[in-house]
Amino acid sequence: MTIFDELKERGLIFQTTDEEDLKKALEAGSVSFYSGYDPTADSLHLGHLVPILVCRHLQLAGHKPYPLVGGATGLIGDPSFKDTERSLQTKETVEGWVKKIQKQLSRFLDFENGDNKAEMTNNYDWFGSISFIDFLRDVGKYFTINYMMSKESVKKRIETGISYTEFAYQIMQGYDFYELNRQHGVTLQIGGSDQWGNMTAGTELLRRKADKTGHVITVPLITDATGKKFGKSEGNAVWLDADKTSPYEMYQFWLNVMDDDAVRFLKIFTFLPLDEIAEIEEKFNAARHERLAQKILAKEVVTLVHGEAAYKEALQITKQLFAGNIRALSAQELKQGLSGVPNYAVQAEDDLNIVEILVKSGISSSKRQAREDVQNGAIYINGERIQDLDYQLSDADKIDGELTVIRRGKKKYFVLTY
């Protein structure tokens, strides 16, 4: 199976410019390619992972990646399918985000070994020194207003208003392709399906300005079985930065994907061979309640993004929390596993009697309710049931001197911090 056929089989290809010509190029020898990432935040998120994985597949097949972090385009803002214009960031902020994203990308591609080792690029390197007049004369003249207005990303914004800044974004992305071709012989661009208009602006500029052919592969917008945009967890993006989305949170995200999505996501988000995934699918369908596909998916993606040690820690947290073994976990592990639960910072003047602290922290609605909760055996301190109304919290109840975990009933967790 060719690399193109495998990418297609995995569901990683949505559109291409000339499929047969591209397949021939990929089979003829090493192709230099790029994928761009604008620093619109200090971390990439799950939505960026799909084109990154395509880049890794291509590199493993012998092709050479030139990942681009848009130090220049990040200062402008891409209008593609956005309802309103992005807030502009300072140059210093964008520069900081560029460095963080470059570091993240270095985890997925090989920058050290072989003739096809990855080379990092930043479009501020060429846009930072080009004058506005030169850009209009040497690049702008190749784009007609009619051509630029025909892009779906522009059409959708015309009704609500689009600034010239964002209108010109497609020319900037097109020029990236031209410059990478001129400097490094790049002939293929990888990107999201929402980038089709910007990416074909690059093939158009290559054709008109350099009389060369460029190729484009777009990856599909990943949705779950209900059609909901994938990569959001309770309204928040799933980030690739462990400080923004912990390995445990990411593990839980994958562990909880719907049955109808699990095998498809194994093809998209892991590097497991397709025949191995077929075997997993057979076992999974025979006993879906065991969630085999989700467990393997969570293991593979968390290991890929954060490393094996982080996966093992996430698995340990999951097992111990499920069993209620709070004391088996460190404060740091508990902060990961219980990051989304209600939290109360204990004050020096607080009465640490169990009834008083249940009310003060909002765990129980009243003293009467708190007394009933304790007497009925519904309150657990660090996994141990407390039924003594005179119980006083002490240093012995502090895990690593930092926090105490209170559980009310079977599943409602609360954290006291000191």
Side-chain angles (χ1 to χ4, degrees):
M1 184 183 293
T2 67
I3 181 59
F4 187 89
D5 290 335
E6 179 172 351
L7 291 174
K8 216 167 186 184
E9 181 72 20
R10 287 181 177 273
L12 286 167
I13 293 180
F14 180 69
Q15 283 174 298
T16 62
T17 39
D18 186 332
E19 184 171 319
E20 289 306 312
D21 196 37
L22 175 57
K23 286 176 72 172
K24 288 177 184 177
L26 290 170
E27 291 169 29
S30 181
V31 169
S32 293
F33 66 93
Y34 94 98
S35 184
Y37 307 90
D38 273 352
T40 54
D42 60 356
S43 172
L44 298 174
H45 55 70
L46 210 54
H48 296 110
L49 192 55
V50 183
I52 293 172
L53 296 181
V54 171
C55 291
R56 179 160 171 164
H57 276 291
L58 287 169
Q59 186 179 31
L60 290 171
H63 305 289
K64 186 174 175 68
Y66 287 86
L68 181 147
V69 181
T73 43
L75 290 167
I76 300 301
D78 179 6
S80 296
F81 304 99
K82 301 289 186 296
D83 294 329
T84 57
E85 189 159 344
R86 291 182 185 274
S87 299
L88 296 181
Q89 303 295 330
T90 66
K91 185 178 176 183
E92 291 72 26
T93 296
V94 171
E95 285 175 350
W97 290 352
V98 165
K99 291 176 182 176
K100 289 187 176 182
I101 291 173
Q102 286 177 333
K103 187 176 180 180
Q104 286 184 334
L105 288 170
S106 67
R107 297 205 303 264
F108 300 100
L109 300 171
D110 186 349
F111 286 81
E112 297 178 358
N113 304 296
D115 293 336
N116 69 325
K117 64 183 179 183
E119 294 185 32
M120 195 72 73
T121 61
N122 180 346
N123 58 17
Y124 193 81
D125 291 344
W126 46 86
F127 279 117
S129 59
I130 192 171
S131 76
F132 183 64
I133 292 174
D134 288 341
F135 188 70
L136 288 179
R137 283 175 56 88
D138 298 338
V139 182
K141 67 179 180 180
Y142 292 103
F143 292 89
T144 67
I145 292 297
N146 291 346
Y147 175 83
M148 295 174 71
M149 291 278 288
S150 71
K151 303 296 184 182
E152 285 299 319
S153 57
V154 172
K155 280 183 182 179
K156 288 180 178 289
R157 282 282 299 281
I158 289 296
E159 293 179 8
T160 58
I162 183 172
S163 70
Y164 175 75
T165 302
E166 288 196 345
F167 182 61
Y169 183 94
Q170 61 178 282
I171 304 181
M172 294 182 71
Q173 187 165 329
Y175 189 65
D176 286 342
F177 202 166
Y178 172 83
E179 271 299 312
L180 288 171
N181 175 269
R182 185 183 69 80
Q183 295 182 32
H184 305 291
V186 169
T187 56
L188 169 64
Q189 183 179 178
I190 314 294
S193 58
D194 62 336
Q195 291 295 303
W196 177 260
N198 294 334
M199 294 164 75
T200 51
T203 59
E204 180 71 5
L205 183 61
L206 266 180
R207 182 184 67 81
R208 299 194 65 189
K209 185 172 172 63
D211 195 26
K212 292 181 179 179
T213 299
H215 298 286
V216 163
I217 291 177
T218 65
V219 302
L221 173 67
I222 306 299
T223 57
D224 63 22
T226 68
K228 179 184 173 184
K229 186 176 179 181
F230 187 70
K232 302 287 184 181
S233 176
E234 296 179 2
N236 299 312
V238 179
W239 300 95
L240 304 188
D241 185 333
D243 292 332
K244 294 170 79 73
T245 300
S246 72
Y248 169 80
E249 290 172 308
M250 180 175 281
Y251 180 81
Q252 292 298 314
F253 177 85
W254 292 108
L255 202 60
N256 288 299
V257 301
M258 290 183 285
D259 288 348
D260 291 343
D261 291 322
V263 173
R264 179 166 64 96
F265 290 166
L266 278 171
K267 294 178 182 179
I268 292 172
F269 290 100
T270 81
F271 289 85
L272 295 174
L274 290 169
D275 55 356
E276 186 177 332
I277 293 175
E279 292 175 8
I280 293 169
E281 182 176 17
E282 190 174 338
K283 294 177 183 176
F284 170 63
N285 285 331
R288 286 196 168 193
H289 64 281
E290 294 181 2
R291 304 184 72 76
L292 174 66
Q294 286 95 332
K295 289 175 183 177
I296 294 173
L297 178 64
K299 174 185 177 182
E300 292 294 318
V301 181
V302 173
T303 301
L304 175 69
V305 175
H306 296 298
E308 187 175 1
Y311 157 70
K312 288 181 177 178
E313 183 179 46
L315 184 62
Q316 161 78 351
I317 295 170
T318 301
K319 287 180 176 178
Q320 300 304 340
L321 282 181
F322 183 78
N325 297 329
I326 302 300
R327 287 286 187 182
L329 299 170
S330 68
Q332 190 59 41
E333 289 170 330
L334 287 166
K335 286 176 184 176
Q336 274 200 61
L338 301 174
S339 64
V341 309
N343 189 293
Y344 176 72
V346 177
Q347 306 299 310
E349 65 273 14
D350 284 344
D351 186 339
L352 297 182
N353 167 265
I354 186 65
V355 173
E356 296 293 336
I357 201 69
L358 286 175
V359 177
K360 185 75 173 180
S361 61
I363 297 172
S364 298
S365 58
S366 66
K367 287 187 179 182
R368 178 183 174 184
Q369 183 64 57
R371 284 192 290 268
E372 286 182 8
D373 289 339
V374 173
Q375 290 175 322
N376 293 337
I379 300 300
Y380 296 77
I381 302 292
N382 297 331
E384 296 179 10
R385 179 178 279 156
I386 301 297
Q387 291 183 279
D388 180 3
L389 292 174
D390 295 323
Y391 188 87
Q392 290 285 129
L393 271 73
S394 66
D395 287 347
D397 295 309
K398 298 177 182 177
I399 295 175
D400 297 342
E402 295 183 39
L403 55 83
T404 299
V405 178
I406 298 181
R407 193 177 93 222
R408 181 172 180 255
K410 291 184 177 181
K411 294 182 179 180
K412 292 184 179 179
Y413 281 98
F414 304 83
V415 174
L416 305 182
T417 59
Y418 301 91

